[in-house]
Amino acid sequence: MSTETKEWKEAQKERFDHRNPERSVYKSPEGLSEEVIREISEEKEEPDWMLERRLKSFEHFKNKPMPDWGPSLHELDIESIVPYLKADETTSEEDWEDVPEDIKDTFDKLGIPEAEQEALGGVGAQYESEVVYQNMKDQWEEKGVVFCDIDTAIEEHEDLVKEYFMTKCVPPSDNKFAALHGAIHSGGSFVYIPEDVTVEMPIQAYFRMNSEGMGQFEHTLIIAEDGADVHYIEGCSAPMYSRHNVHAGCVEVFVGEGASVQYSTVQNWSKNTFNLNTKRALVEKDGTMDWISGSMGSKTTMLYPMTVLKGEGASDRHITIGFAGEGQNIDTGAKVSHLAPNTSSTIESKSISMDGGRTNYRGLVRVSPGAKGVKSSVDCDALMLDEESISDTMPYEEIKESDVDMAHEATVGSIGDEDIFYLQSRGIEEDEAMQMVVSGFIEPLTEELPLEYAVELNRLVELEMEGSLG
Amino acid sequence: MSVQEIDEEFIRELSDDRDEPDWLRQRRLKAWESYDDLPEPNVIQTPGKRWTDLEELDVRSRSRGMEARETRASVEADVPDEVIVEDLEDVVREHEELVRDALDSVVRWDENRLLAVHAAVWRSGLFVYVPEGVEVDGTIRTRTEVNEDARFSQTLVVAEDNATVTVAESVEGGDETYFSNVVEVVAGDGAEVNYGALQDLSDDSYQFTSKRGLTGRDASVNWIDGCFGTALTKSTVSTVIEGEGSDTANYGLFFGTGDQHFDLETWTRHDAPHTTCDMFTRGVMDDRSVSAYEGTIDVTQPAYEVDAYQTENVLLVSDKAEADASPRLEIDNHNVKCSHAATMGRIDDEELFYMNSRGVDEEEAKSLIIEGYFEPVLGELPFPELEDEFREVIQRKMQKGR
């Protein structure tokens, strides 16, 4: 390994593991109660309807069972999580210079402002429970594109938020963590793209948890009107603590007729984080939804982005990559519901497990009666790098229509000795050879991301694999 | 004898009539007592949907009337003298040690409640014992025409080291009958057991079946299982590969018509290195029939250099038919090659058009396509006589649908 790479790796560790001393102008008590929820709502000066939705969600949360069909969640103690933490009075600055110094420093280390200048159309940054910075380039703002945090959206676009927020797409009754989210959500983004507007550069939101034992529950609501086109990128990280953090985000995407939305996530939560998300998109006629997800971090991830293809000719694409190292359980997959004729879906899943890590693909494809001419393909490949690792594949397919073309394929295997031997015979060291094979394996994901992110992701993989060969 | 009538006394009587040894009587009683504590057989559940409703089986009240009418069962076997082929209930005393060793050695009655009821009231079935090194050339053939309201058949096939045997069973008849069929296959080191089953009961009958093989070293257990009859079937065909160097083939065929519902599970567990499995199931679903298929390849930690393949193809020939599938891989060892593939589709319009243009009318073209669809599985059968029967059943079902 070259010195340069080594230095880079040291720098990466500093980058993600960097922690600021905790500071807060408001910190809720640990655990959940009606009182805490009322306090959060009051702190945010929300309208009554939002408080009512929160309280109703809390009822659902109390009544819903913990999911027992996936990874073990017994170490997750929701009662001791800090649901809300506001680091600073100022929220949602449009000028980077006004963001408090230590917070700015964190995002500088993560390379956010740099990326904004070079490759992004807009950037939002959330620190703990509140968004600290949000900016959209003028050229799209002029066309009516809205990119702001949810609190601002409630103030400025109340009707839209009231209509779309956890009503039609992900109701709080959907599952335990959606209900939890509905009760104590804070921060996140609101994106509105008017009819026929194309945002050529991706918009990015970065979510950072800094404090120990806290929970982050940001909400992302994207509305793409007919013919609109947008690429939204979400990045996540947190430093490592001994107590568990929890991230239960919720993403709702509305794809209008002929509209196109790509939602990309690169998640590098610290390995004490429970990452339990609900993400869903409703797609109208001829609309397109792409979910690109890379799950690198967290202790346990449960993530199954869902697309409901409502309108004829709508299409979906999922590319999902899970990378599980020591102590990690990455349970990811995809759900697609074909409700209309001539809809199509393509699911491609790649998982890598090493050092005793566990990956699982869990997917569901449903074809409703009358949805004629549906095409769906599911492709799952798993790579296991050592003896201790585990990889499962569990797709479910429910087909209630005969006029379909449905295919599923999966493979599990290890890196071929021959591949490694070949690369070694060309003078490449074994660990580097393995990294090359893995980089090639995840290429379908990296090629979907802007170059900066692709490079970043490859480096993260290298970082994870460092020292993996004894 | 309804559910209220099955009780400890009934089971004791059944056991006494057969002069069963005490361990067997206790097994029956214990299984019956445990019913409420045991889970239902595993059924896939996805958000908002349970793939098969087992309530319909209503097993305890269907257990009545086991001796109401005469069931005809025949066994044809041309076997060497040292090979045992008998009805299991007749040989419990005579071969007590063999039976005791084999029973519960592969399928355990406490896995679920339907197996517990089965263990409590089973009556007939086949016992095949092949001593070390004996190769049985011909097929041991059993035919059963069920004429009871409920039949509980328990089959044990034991092949000692380096023995070879092939068993082919077919079951037909039935009139709102509950048919419970448990098959345990033990293949010793270097042994080979082939087991074929054709189920063609009446469309108002019910079937619960669990068939499982256990392999020693360098052994082979091969299955072909055809599911054609019944209103509701819950079937599991599986192999546990315990010994190094062993292999299994697990082939299945199903053809659903009318309102039939088939819940078909196939799985292989690899507990040893250098083992292979080939799972291949094909089905055709017509009318309003529903199939739920779950196939699992499970490779546990000690099993390296495993090659395991699984394929499921379903042809949907009616708009109202439904096919659910979950082909799973559970892999705990990295040094493996495992894959699965599943497809679901309909008859290609172009194929129909081509045949029409050659003067084949649409109905006939459909039949030809359906027949042809089963061919890749039928071609793999090690049982020529069963193959003909499979073809006959497929033909008959196609005609009935027309």
Side-chain angles (χ1 to χ4, degrees):
Chain A
M1 200 184 301
S2 68
T3 356
E4 198 192 326
T5 334
K6 266 190 187 142
E7 274 169 17
W8 180 85
K9 278 179 180 164
E10 285 309 309
Q12 293 313 297
K13 284 201 172 130
E14 159 61 13
R15 221 176 115 192
F16 291 109
D17 294 345
H18 168 83
R19 21 169 135 154
N20 291 332
E22 179 186 316
R23 67 195 191 91
S24 60
V25 291
Y26 176 81
K27 182 180 179 181
S28 72
E30 286 180 9
L32 280 181
S33 64
E34 196 180 312
E35 205 187 327
V36 169
I37 293 165
R38 283 182 187 279
E39 270 180 45
I40 294 173
S41 187
E42 202 169 308
E43 177 69 23
K44 289 172 168 296
E45 295 172 19
E46 282 176 351
D48 288 345
W49 60 264
M50 187 54 102
L51 175 63
E52 274 162 33
R53 282 189 195 176
R54 286 181 186 275
L55 294 174
K56 214 170 153 192
S57 297
F58 186 50
E59 288 305 309
H60 284 299
F61 172 75
K62 285 189 285 190
N63 297 330
K64 288 264 166 195
M66 285 289 260
D68 57 358
W69 41 265
S72 161
L73 298 172
H74 73 272
E75 281 181 71
L76 171 62
D77 180 10
I78 294 174
E79 287 310 307
S80 70
I81 291 285
V82 178
Y84 181 77
L85 198 156
K86 187 173 179 179
D88 201 86
E89 271 312 332
T90 52
T91 55
S92 211
E93 293 292 346
E94 278 194 32
D95 191 336
W96 188 245
E97 290 312 309
D98 294 339
V99 174
E101 205 57 40
D102 56 339
I103 299 176
K104 199 165 71 181
D105 188 45
T106 302
F107 287 104
D108 276 338
K109 282 200 170 78
L110 292 165
I112 305 303
E114 206 181 324
E116 180 184 3
Q117 275 165 21
E118 286 165 13
L120 299 172
V123 161
Q126 175 162 344
Y127 190 79
E128 316 292 26
S129 297
E130 291 293 355
V131 174
V132 293
Y133 171 76
Q134 203 130 23
N135 189 32
M136 182 82 201
K137 287 194 172 144
D138 294 344
Q139 61 195 100
W140 291 298
E141 222 157 52
E142 281 160 16
K143 286 184 183 167
V145 175
V146 179
F147 176 44
C148 64
D149 66 273
I150 293 282
D151 292 341
T152 309
I154 293 174
E155 275 171 41
E156 292 173 11
H157 309 278
E158 188 172 345
D159 291 347
L160 280 175
V161 179
K162 199 172 173 182
E163 185 182 344
Y164 289 101
F165 189 95
M166 296 194 89
T167 51
K168 308 170 178 183
C169 191
V170 180
S173 56
D174 193 80
N175 65 68
K176 181 113 183 152
F177 296 104
L180 173 68
H181 176 93
I184 53 176
H185 63 85
S186 177
S189 310
F190 173 76
V191 179
Y192 178 82
I193 318 288
E195 220 172 301
D196 294 326
V197 170
T198 298
V199 183
E200 281 99 354
M201 290 169 102
I203 295 177
Q204 197 211 2
Y206 202 96
F207 300 101
R208 176 79 178 173
M209 271 190 277
N210 179 68
S211 296
E212 181 165 17
M214 81 161 291
Q216 195 172 60
F217 307 94
E218 88 288 345
H219 194 94
T220 305
L221 177 57
I222 299 176
I223 303 168
E225 296 283 10
D226 297 353
D229 192 332
V230 68
H231 181 187
Y232 183 92
I233 302 177
E234 172 192 89
C236 318
S237 69
M240 184 73 186
Y241 288 105
S242 54
R243 261 176 72 187
H244 294 136
N245 285 21
V246 60
H247 174 254
C250 178
V251 176
E252 298 182 283
V253 183
F254 294 86
V255 184
E257 283 189 19
S260 170
V261 175
Q262 176 170 337
Y263 194 103
S264 305
T265 309
V266 177
Q267 173 268 103
N268 190 34
W269 292 118
S270 57
K271 285 166 192 159
N272 61 323
T273 303
F274 281 90
N275 183 38
L276 312 161
N277 292 307
T278 309
K279 299 184 174 184
R280 191 169 301 160
L282 303 184
V283 188
E284 305 294 337
K285 190 167 178 285
D286 297 325
T288 304
M289 180 70 210
D290 289 4
W291 295 103
I292 317 290
S293 317
S295 298
M296 317 288 299
S298 83
K299 172 185 171 59
T300 300
T301 283
M302 292 173 80
L303 171 66
Y304 324 97
M306 178 177 187
T307 301
V308 182
L309 298 166
K310 283 172 69 186
E312 187 163 354
S315 67
D316 162 80
R317 188 175 58 145
H318 275 82
I319 295 178
T320 144
I321 303 229
F323 193 123
E326 191 182 345
Q328 286 184 280
N329 189 343
I330 305 289
D331 202 281
T332 59
K335 283 202 266 183
V336 180
S337 188
H338 292 264
L339 301 181
N342 301 317
T343 49
S344 64
S345 60
T346 310
I347 297 169
E348 205 173 329
S349 160
K350 304 264 179 191
S351 24
I352 301 157
S353 46
M354 57 180 271
D355 294 340
R358 180 181 195 121
T359 58
N360 188 7
Y361 172 82
R362 200 187 291 275
L364 174 62
V365 175
R366 269 191 179 144
V367 180
S368 297
K372 291 188 185 300
V374 164
K375 286 190 168 53
S376 171
S377 83
V378 181
D379 228 316
C380 309
D381 295 315
L383 199 56
M384 299 169 76
L385 301 187
D386 55 49
E387 283 150 39
E388 291 87 45
S389 302
I390 296 177
S391 179
D392 294 347
T393 310
M394 306 180 181
Y396 299 94
E397 280 138 23
E398 300 177 353
I399 313 297
K400 292 194 174 185
E401 168 59 51
S402 67
D403 185 2
V404 296
D405 187 350
M406 162 83 223
H408 170 93
E409 264 182 70
T411 62
V412 177
S414 56
I415 293 183
D417 290 340
E418 277 174 43
D419 295 345
I420 300 296
F421 179 78
Y422 173 81
L423 289 167
Q424 278 181 295
S425 75
R426 294 282 180 263
I428 295 164
E429 281 183 38
E430 192 179 352
D431 55 353
E432 211 173 321
M434 280 183 79
Q435 283 171 13
M436 287 172 79
V437 174
V438 171
S439 294
F441 183 74
I442 63 167
E443 202 178 296
L445 171 75
T446 46
E447 69 189 11
E448 286 303 319
L449 295 170
L451 185 65
E452 292 76 5
Y453 282 85
V455 172
E456 169 89 18
L457 192 75
N458 268 323
R459 285 179 165 178
L460 278 176
V461 169
E462 269 176 50
L463 194 66
E464 286 292 323
M465 290 182 65
E466 184 191 2
S468 65
L469 295 171
Chain B
M1 179 182 68
S2 70
V3 56
Q4 292 82 11
E5 291 166 65
I6 290 192
D7 53 18
E8 204 183 305
E9 201 186 301
F10 167 79
I11 293 166
R12 278 183 194 284
E13 232 166 77
L14 188 149
S15 189
D16 288 345
D17 283 352
R18 280 157 192 78
D19 187 25
E20 285 180 349
D22 192 53
W23 62 268
L24 190 52
R25 186 183 356 258
Q26 293 310 324
R27 178 181 183 266
R28 289 182 186 278
L29 293 168
K30 196 162 174 223
W32 183 250
E33 275 166 27
S34 307
Y35 180 89
D36 286 323
D37 303 328
L38 294 171
E40 292 266 330
N42 176 45
V43 165
I44 290 184
Q45 189 148 20
T46 57
K49 188 173 175 192
R50 209 172 159 75
W51 283 12
T52 298
D53 180 10
L54 290 176
E55 292 287 298
E56 219 182 309
L57 283 179
D58 188 15
V59 52
R60 282 198 293 186
S61 59
R62 280 186 199 287
S63 307
R64 69 201 186 311
M66 288 196 298
E67 42 211 334
R69 276 163 286 164
E70 185 76 353
T71 281
R72 280 184 298 169
S74 69
V75 181
E76 294 160 26
D78 183 11
V79 295
D81 290 344
E82 62 270 39
V83 175
I84 303 166
V85 179
E86 298 281 355
D87 192 318
L88 183 62
E89 68 176 334
D90 299 336
V91 295
V92 172
R93 279 284 182 198
E94 196 180 336
H95 302 294
E96 189 175 336
E97 281 314 302
L98 290 177
V99 172
R100 193 175 182 174
D101 283 350
L103 205 60
D104 289 328
S105 70
V106 188
V107 179
R108 293 176 51 90
W109 64 261
D110 59 0
E111 289 172 27
N112 66 57
R113 2 173 99 171
L114 298 191
L115 286 170
V117 172
H118 182 94
V121 299
W122 73 272
R123 286 192 35 196
S124 53
L126 186 67
F127 179 65
V128 175
Y129 178 82
V130 188
E132 197 174 327
V134 176
E135 293 184 20
V136 180
D137 289 332
T139 300
I140 297 170
R141 186 77 178 85
T142 76
R143 286 189 177 82
T144 307
E145 194 189 326
V146 181
N147 276 317
E148 295 149 296
D149 289 342
R151 184 172 176 88
F152 295 81
S153 171
Q154 171 73 47
T155 292
L156 299 176
V157 179
V158 179
E160 296 284 8
D161 295 354
N162 301 312
T164 301
V165 66
T166 296
V167 180
E169 67 161 43
S170 59
V171 183
E172 54 183 26
D175 176 8
E176 293 189 38
T177 295
Y178 177 76
F179 179 63
S180 175
N181 188 15
V182 174
V183 177
E184 299 184 60
V185 169
V186 183
D189 294 350
E192 179 185 334
V193 179
N194 303 305
Y195 198 98
L198 168 67
Q199 179 275 113
D200 184 30
L201 290 162
S202 66
D203 284 358
D204 56 8
S205 292
Y206 298 85
Q207 178 188 223
F208 167 72
T209 177
S210 185
K211 306 184 178 82
R212 191 177 304 160
L214 180 67
T215 74
R217 273 183 77 105
D218 302 315
S220 181
V221 172
N222 303 309
W223 302 100
I224 171 87
D225 202 81
C227 182
F228 298 97
T230 73
L232 175 63
T233 279
K234 169 75 187 162
S235 161
T236 307
V237 182
S238 52
T239 306
V240 177
I241 300 186
E242 217 174 52
E244 192 167 344
S246 294
D247 58 70
T248 183
N250 189 330
Y251 295 137
L253 295 172
F254 58 94
F255 189 176
T257 51
D259 292 302
Q260 291 184 302
H261 185 119
F262 299 150
D263 185 307
L264 308 171
E265 186 185 359
T266 60
W267 58 259
T268 303
R269 197 175 82 218
H270 294 260
D271 286 337
H274 303 292
T275 51
T276 61
C277 103
D278 177 12
M279 293 163 74
F280 185 23
T281 298
R282 276 206 160 186
V284 173
M285 301 307 287
D286 203 350
D287 303 328
R288 296 157 308 277
S289 61
V290 177
S291 68
Y293 168 84
E294 181 178 9
T296 306
I297 294 171
D298 184 0
V299 179
T300 61
Q301 234 257 321
Y304 54 88
E305 297 204 355
V306 169
D307 278 347
Y309 305 98
Q310 183 191 150
T311 305
E312 195 226 3
N313 308 121
V314 181
L315 187 67
L316 289 152
V317 292
S318 151
D319 258 0
K320 301 278 187 318
E322 177 177 345
D324 300 336
S326 177
R328 302 154 71 118
L329 300 174
E330 294 176 15
I331 314 295
D332 289 8
N333 192 301
H334 76 300
N335 189 5
V336 298
K337 272 187 224 152
C338 297
S339 73
H340 64 201
T343 63
M344 281 169 232
R346 61 183 192 130
I347 294 178
D348 193 339
D349 285 337
E350 274 178 42
E351 273 179 57
L352 281 181
F353 179 78
Y354 173 82
M355 290 210 241
N356 275 326
S357 75
R358 292 280 179 271
V360 181
D361 72 39
E362 193 170 324
E363 285 302 306
E364 202 185 334
K366 259 176 118 173
S367 298
L368 285 169
I369 289 167
I370 291 171
E371 240 188 298
Y373 198 75
F374 287 116
E375 217 45 52
V377 183
L378 287 174
E380 301 287 344
L381 287 181
F383 324 89
E385 42 181 322
L386 212 49
E387 186 179 332
D388 291 340
E389 271 177 60
F390 272 114
R391 285 184 208 282
E392 275 166 36
V393 175
I394 291 163
Q395 287 286 349
R396 205 199 61 235
K397 286 204 75 141
M398 285 190 304
Q399 270 145 26
K400 207 160 67 181
R402 300 286 92 93

